[in-house]
Amino acid sequence: MTSVPLHTRIPVLLYHAVMDDPPDWIAEFTVTPKEFASQLDAVVASGRAPVTVGTLAAHLTSGDPLPDRPVVITFDDGFADLAGPTAEALAARDLPSTAYLTTGAITPGRPCLLPPAPMMTLEQAPRLEEYGMEVGGHTATHAQLDTLAPGALRRELRESKAVLEDTLGHEVRHLAYPHGYNSPAVRRAAAAAGYTSAVAVRHALSSGRDEIYRIARLIVRRTHTTADVEQWMEGRGVRTAPYPDSPLTVGWRMYRRTRALVRGAEFAG
């Protein structure tokens, strides 16, 4: 654990699907509706103030004030539950959140590396905003961004941004890296594509000193319980960003890059 004081540690939760019978490939990162409701109730009971990634990003870049003890709730990909019962559960508790959508996965006929699963549709994206969600980009195909050639990386970032902006009618400023995979080059490309923030995974608490283009998130797995969420709300149980990549992370990135030269772009998951 770093020396970041407890009161400045910021939980940024990362959810994927909320369903009882998920496909096998996403089951590890799925929580049931019952467990999801219990975890949301724990967030409310903690007394933390829910904010969007945009609010946290404004603090990191410009020093805009945050409420005392903030918490951020995020979703990746755009599973079918998101625009229905999941959004309703959040709205019922007055919990704003940020949803990062993979445009290829939610647009029939578009290329995507995500395996089959029940997904929302691109046309439902404005509904998320009606429920109080902030919408961000999660690339076009969900590729491992840190293994792509520069041109392919630019397409992944800019195509999804443009598609979402056309659908929503306004700028999309925030990005989530698929499976958290990023690198200095990917972070520079995200900024060049017009994103003003990007979230990674890192399974760590964020903080007021976190990096704007790799904000740390806590990935919620099916094995996590309400007690885990309660501990995170207390600012305990995991390390706190920022911190440098470990040698293991750097080595894994190099291995995946070498593999991508042979196999081509691969699903980040």
Side-chain angles (χ1 to χ4, degrees):
M1 185 70 70
T2 73
S3 60
V4 177
L6 275 175
H7 70 279
T8 62
R9 298 173 188 169
I10 304 170
V12 183
L13 304 182
L14 163 55
Y15 288 96
H16 289 83
V18 180
M19 62 179 75
D20 287 310
D21 298 304
D24 288 345
W25 70 270
I26 196 62
E28 180 184 355
F29 304 111
T30 298
V31 298
T32 66
K34 181 179 180 181
E35 182 64 24
F36 182 63
S38 178
Q39 292 176 7
L40 293 186
D41 288 340
V43 171
V44 173
S46 74
R48 283 195 174 261
V51 299
T52 63
V53 167
T55 298
L56 174 58
H59 173 74
L60 294 176
T61 55
S62 304
D64 288 7
L66 285 172
D68 291 338
R69 303 181 68 244
V71 60
V72 185
I73 301 172
T74 71
F75 299 85
D76 279 7
D77 301 329
F79 290 92
D81 61 272
L82 185 61
T86 295
E88 292 166 3
L90 292 159
R93 295 166 175 80
D94 294 321
L95 293 172
S97 62
T98 301
Y100 295 101
L101 304 181
T102 304
T103 51
I106 63 176
T107 310
R110 298 295 298 171
C112 187
L113 297 171
L114 281 174
M119 306 300 293
M120 62 175 282
T121 65
L122 180 63
E123 289 71 25
Q124 290 177 309
R127 182 187 301 179
L128 300 181
E129 295 187 329
E130 293 172 4
Y131 276 109
M133 287 188 183
E134 175 182 64
V135 175
H138 196 41
T139 75
T141 74
H142 210 276
Q144 298 181 21
L145 296 182
D146 56 346
T147 69
L148 299 180
L153 174 59
R154 286 192 295 270
R155 286 192 296 274
E156 285 283 350
L157 297 175
R158 295 180 178 181
E159 177 186 319
S160 58
K161 189 175 192 292
V163 168
L164 289 172
E165 289 175 344
D166 286 345
T167 301
L168 297 170
H170 60 75
E171 185 181 11
V172 170
R173 305 179 65 193
H174 307 293
L175 170 70
Y177 305 120
H179 209 65
Y181 289 145
N182 69 95
S183 66
V186 170
R187 297 193 288 274
R188 290 192 297 270
Y195 295 100
T196 58
S197 82
V199 292
V201 178
R202 317 206 84 186
H203 198 66
L205 294 157
S206 183
S207 73
R209 301 203 305 262
D210 209 349
E211 300 168 78
I212 189 63
Y213 284 103
R214 61 169 173 178
I215 297 169
R217 294 190 290 174
L218 293 155
I219 188 167
V220 184
R221 289 177 159 87
R222 62 180 173 181
T223 52
H224 287 126
T225 66
T226 299
D228 292 312
V229 173
E230 290 171 342
Q231 186 177 47
W232 298 338
M233 292 305 109
E234 294 171 358
R236 303 181 186 276
V238 289
R239 68 191 306 184
T240 304
Y243 53 85
D245 286 336
S246 69
L248 182 62
T249 296
V250 175
W252 176 234
R253 182 183 304 138
M254 293 175 65
Y255 167 76
R256 289 184 294 101
R257 284 177 175 170
T258 302
R259 187 175 63 185
L261 292 174
V262 177
R263 299 183 180 179
E266 292 186 292
F267 164 56

